[in-house]
Amino acid sequence: MRMASAMVTGVSLVLLLSGCGGNHDSNDEPGLRPQPKVATLGPFVGECGHLTDDEVRDLGGLGAVTSVFKNSVGCNWQAGGVSSASVTFASYRGSPIDREKAWVASVGRTPDTIEVGGKKGFQALDPSNAVCDLAVQLDDDFFEWSISYGLFGGSNLGNPCDRTRKMAELTVQRLG
């Protein structure tokens, strides 16, 4: 008798609990879930921020950097050798700039708010003055230029943020 009673109780609980967890259409109960945000696409930043390899070499001041890769969202130029100088461009569609800002801060670079061509953003210089990340907000998108003087160079090249800023200014001027 106990077994039958336990089974009836167990089946009753299963039926009761399954009724509580049924599917509900989000349209039945408006306001329970926020509407998804649709990203507003910013202007097209072009391949490599609309800068040529020669402009990157000249503005970067790193000597003979060579294009390592170019694709629809980014470009990278590097000098030869391990831990050598590099320049990177990246474009982020529908991605929050604050996430990038937080990552930059987490690796020891303090972001400072800036404005480039009327567009807000940030730049972050590492404590050794050898790496700078500079990002510019474009609606719900942003782009970022980054320069690293490498492990063994750059002491005579000045602040890398001055160089990334010149690249960012050209990108903003050439927005399509």
Side-chain angles (χ1 to χ4, degrees), residues 67-169:
S67 177
V68 176
F69 74 82
K70 291 181 182 183
N71 62 33
S72 61
V73 294
C75 301
N76 179 261
W77 299 262
Q78 293 184 349
V82 177
S83 300
S84 62
S86 65
V87 177
T88 303
F89 171 82
S91 173
Y92 299 89
R93 286 275 195 204
S95 183
I97 195 172
D98 287 336
R99 184 183 311 149
E100 184 71 10
K101 193 176 195 179
W103 179 86
V104 166
S106 76
V107 295
R109 299 180 202 124
T110 304
D112 295 318
T113 301
I114 61 163
E115 193 171 296
V116 176
K119 313 282 184 189
K120 294 199 180 293
F122 72 86
Q123 71 181 22
L125 180 64
D126 80 323
S128 70
N129 295 329
V131 178
C132 180
D133 298 300
L134 189 146
V136 176
Q137 185 78 53
L138 303 170
D139 296 326
D140 288 333
D141 305 339
F142 73 94
F143 70 84
E144 180 176 28
W145 280 102
S146 181
I147 290 182
S148 170
Y149 287 159
L151 192 57
F152 303 109
S155 60
N156 61 341
L157 294 175
N159 184 337
C161 289
D162 295 339
R163 296 177 182 283
T164 55
R165 182 171 188 98
K166 289 177 185 173
M167 292 177 187
E169 288 169 350

Side-chain angles (χ1 to χ4, degrees), residues 15-95:
L15 290 173
L16 179 65
L17 292 175
S18 67
C20 293
N23 286 337
H24 295 287
D25 186 8
S26 62
N27 292 332
D28 293 343
E29 298 171 341
L32 290 182
R33 286 190 166 169
Q35 291 291 338
K37 183 178 185 259
V38 178
T40 304
L41 296 180
F44 179 59
V45 294
E47 183 180 74
C48 302
H50 290 297
L51 270 68
T52 66
D53 292 346
D54 288 336
E55 288 172 322
V56 169
R57 275 190 281 281
D58 292 345
L59 294 172
L62 303 176
V65 293
T66 304
S67 177
V68 176
F69 74 82
K70 291 181 182 183
N71 62 33
S72 61
V73 294
C75 301
N76 179 261
W77 299 262
Q78 293 184 349
V82 177
S83 300
S84 62
S86 65
V87 177
T88 303
F89 171 82
S91 173
Y92 299 89
R93 286 275 195 204
S95 183

